[in-house]
Amino acid sequence: MQAKDEVHKEFRKLSKVKKHFSDECFKVFTVSSKEFLKPKSLQQEETEIPELQASLQDLNARHSETLNYVSGAHGILSLIQGARCRDVTDITNVCRDLDEKLSQELDKVRKPMQETYDAFEKCLNGGVENSKCLCEKHLKSVLKPSMKGGAFHRILKCLVQKGGTHKPKKGKQINLNMDLASCLTDSIDEEFKKTFPNAGNSGPFKGVISSFSLGTETMMREGKYKDVELQLIFLKTEEEKLKSKLTKSIRERKKTIYSSLTTTIEENMQECYRKAADIRGKDSLQKMRSTIETHVYESKNIMFQRAKYNMLGKLEELMEEILQEMRKTMQESIELSLKADDNSLPDVLEHFKVVKNYKTELEGSPNEEPSLTDVDAPGPAAAESMMCA
């Protein structure tokens, strides 16, 4: 704390800096990567590295938001300025080329996504068959564990009252729905990792979206449509915004797609859980078991197929939404930038130049926070350090 106070005192002496940054903007962290990496030394929070990571992540998020905002302004100003000085012949030709390119790019997006859908369907077909064969084993592991009947009676009662899940005071959570769906989820795990990787822009969804392009940069570089270059800049901006939006949508939807297998099983099992929860009196434990087992045996030919179809349906919805959003957004952007009425548009050339400079400056800034979990432990002399943000 003394070291932090000294740093703050020095900061307050910087009068020129203080004009632009308040004390709230200046944070000091006492960090020790050496202690942070030791498994049993300090609590990690005591090193303040988690706080530093959070601060850097926040800084990175704000930088991304600023870049997106400036990029949007840059695109709009390009559109306005370009619309004031366009050539009709160039517009006709570039619209034709862009429409053809859009159609080609959508085909490139559609094909790998359809191949992925087919791969998931094949995996799930095997998962359905395994689920039918192994559901008795999964039921037995949950309904007939090696414990006394009285103790398990209370656990099973809680399980059916809570819709198939229960966390005992001791031991791990019981989730019958997840156990019944395990053959389905196991069947798609590898394909799912390839399709929706947690990092990077690879895979048949994020990968094809990342590579999607109307080729506006090539057109500008070749100087083929010099008179509509500013409109092409606008289209490039809209293209990047679209990719960012779709990538976020995929990230949000992939969890729902994967969990739909267990969710469908859970929904199908609710009726027998309610029946089992109402059972009272003599032999109630055996009757609860029998109620659940009978329901699974009678519905297994439908239940697991339904889970498969629900997941494939959600995957198909995502595919269709991606294609529709790409087609709709880029067609509208082409219409807006190259075919819209340009009456009474202001001259925004000076504004355009200013925003362009800001955009170039932001794109050159670091856009990733350092990974503090990958730091090699320093020697004793460098173990402790101060970091200011």
Side-chain angles (χ1 to χ4, degrees):
M1 292 307 297
Q2 288 178 339
K4 286 188 177 187
D5 288 340
E6 289 298 321
V7 174
H8 273 289
K9 285 178 184 177
E10 292 299 317
F11 172 72
R12 285 192 283 270
K13 293 177 184 178
L14 304 173
S15 57
K16 290 183 179 180
V17 175
K18 286 280 289 179
K19 289 180 181 179
H20 302 283
F21 298 98
S22 65
D23 287 338
E24 289 74 23
C25 295
F26 187 74
K27 299 178 182 178
V28 183
F29 300 91
T30 308
V31 302
S32 169
S33 58
K34 181 178 180 181
E35 294 300 322
F36 182 81
L37 292 168
K38 285 183 180 179
K40 294 182 179 179
S41 58
L42 288 171
Q43 290 289 325
Q44 289 191 344
E45 287 73 13
E46 292 181 36
T47 68
E48 294 193 352
I49 284 182
E51 292 178 40
L52 175 60
Q53 286 176 318
S55 180
L56 291 171
Q57 287 167 355
D58 178 62
L59 184 65
N60 184 56
R62 283 186 277 128
H63 176 273
S64 298
E65 289 173 5
T66 305
L67 177 57
N68 289 339
Y69 181 85
V70 172
S71 295
H74 179 253
I76 293 296
L77 291 172
S78 300
L79 172 62
I80 295 172
Q81 190 63 22
R84 300 181 73 252
C85 49
R86 56 190 180 184
D87 180 86
V88 176
T89 303
D90 268 357
I91 290 173
T92 302
N93 292 334
V94 76
C95 283
R96 182 195 63 237
D97 289 353
L98 288 170
D99 286 338
E100 289 178 1
K101 185 65 173 176
L102 177 59
S103 179
Q104 293 169 4
E105 290 297 298
L106 289 175
D107 286 338
K108 290 180 183 178
V109 172
R110 183 184 295 103
K111 184 179 178 182
M113 289 199 302
Q114 183 59 51
E115 289 173 350
T116 298
Y117 178 93
D118 295 340
F120 271 114
E121 185 174 27
K122 183 178 179 180
C123 292
L124 286 169
N125 286 337
V128 168
E129 294 307 312
N130 288 337
S131 297
K132 292 176 184 178
C133 296
L134 297 175
C135 63
E136 183 177 351
K137 177 183 175 182
H138 292 136
L139 283 174
K140 184 178 179 180
S141 68
V142 175
L143 300 181
K144 298 177 181 178
S146 55
M147 69 170 62
K148 292 181 180 180
F152 183 67
H153 183 278
R154 290 189 295 274
I155 290 175
L156 186 57
K157 195 70 174 178
C158 290
L159 183 78
V160 295
Q161 288 174 342
K162 296 176 183 177
T165 63
H166 175 60
K167 179 67 174 74
K169 291 182 180 179
K170 295 181 180 180
K172 63 180 183 179
Q173 185 182 34
I174 303 169
N175 190 327
L176 180 55
N177 307 310
M178 193 174 289
D179 287 343
L180 290 172
S182 61
C183 288
L184 290 170
T185 54
D186 288 349
S187 73
I188 64 161
D189 277 346
E190 288 304 315
E191 190 66 36
F192 201 87
K193 288 176 186 177
K194 290 191 295 182
T195 303
F196 301 107
N198 289 326
N201 288 320
S202 59
F205 280 78
K206 286 199 292 185
V208 293
I209 289 171
S210 178
S211 62
F212 173 87
S213 176
L214 293 181
T216 52
E217 287 183 320
T218 302
M219 291 180 182
M220 286 186 282
R221 189 166 55 250
E222 293 175 349
K224 187 177 180 181
Y225 298 113
K226 198 71 177 175
D227 290 338
V228 291
E229 184 172 310
L230 293 174
Q231 287 94 325
L232 295 178
I233 291 174
F234 169 76
L235 287 174
K236 181 62 179 176
T237 301
E238 292 301 290
E239 188 180 287
E240 293 304 317
K241 284 167 57 180
L242 172 65
K243 290 180 183 181
S244 178
K245 178 182 177 181
L246 291 175
T247 300
K248 182 180 178 182
S249 177
I250 290 169
R251 186 169 61 246
E252 292 170 348
R253 296 278 289 281
K254 72 174 187 178
K255 183 177 179 180
T256 304
I257 292 170
Y258 186 85
S259 63
S260 66
L261 294 170
T262 303
T263 301
T264 304
I265 301 297
E266 182 179 348
E267 291 170 353
N268 187 275
M269 293 292 292
Q270 291 311 302
E271 181 184 353
C272 78
Y273 292 146
R274 285 191 292 269
K275 289 180 180 178
D278 290 337
I279 294 173
R280 302 284 189 277
K282 186 180 179 181
D283 297 328
S284 57
L285 175 58
Q286 183 54 40
K287 289 176 182 177
M288 282 193 290
R289 284 171 170 158
S290 179
T291 298
I292 296 171
E293 288 171 343
T294 300
H295 178 84
V296 172
Y297 296 152
E298 290 179 350
S299 63
K300 65 180 181 179
N301 290 328
I302 298 174
M303 180 169 65
F304 298 119
Q305 282 284 2
R306 184 178 294 165
K308 179 190 84 170
Y309 289 133
N310 278 355
M311 181 189 163
L312 291 175
K314 291 185 183 301
L315 186 64
E316 188 173 29
E317 283 176 13
L318 178 61
M319 291 163 52
E320 290 176 354
E321 286 178 22
I322 289 171
L323 289 168
Q324 288 175 4
E325 187 70 23
M326 294 182 106
R327 181 184 294 105
K328 179 174 176 288
T329 299
M330 296 318 299
Q331 283 180 341
E332 287 180 352
S333 298
I334 292 170
E335 289 279 337
L336 180 63
S337 60
L338 294 162
K339 300 176 184 179
D341 186 6
D342 62 351
N343 291 335
S344 304
L345 289 175
D347 187 342
V348 294
L349 182 59
E350 291 305 313
H351 300 294
F352 171 73
K353 290 178 180 178
V354 170
V355 172
K356 182 179 180 181
N357 289 336
Y358 280 134
K359 181 173 180 287
T360 302
E361 183 178 341
L362 284 166
E363 287 176 334
S365 302
N367 200 30
E368 291 185 5
E369 68 273 13
S371 175
L372 296 176
T373 56
D374 294 333
V375 176
D376 290 331
E384 306 300 324
S385 62
M386 297 287 273
M387 296 197 72
C388 307

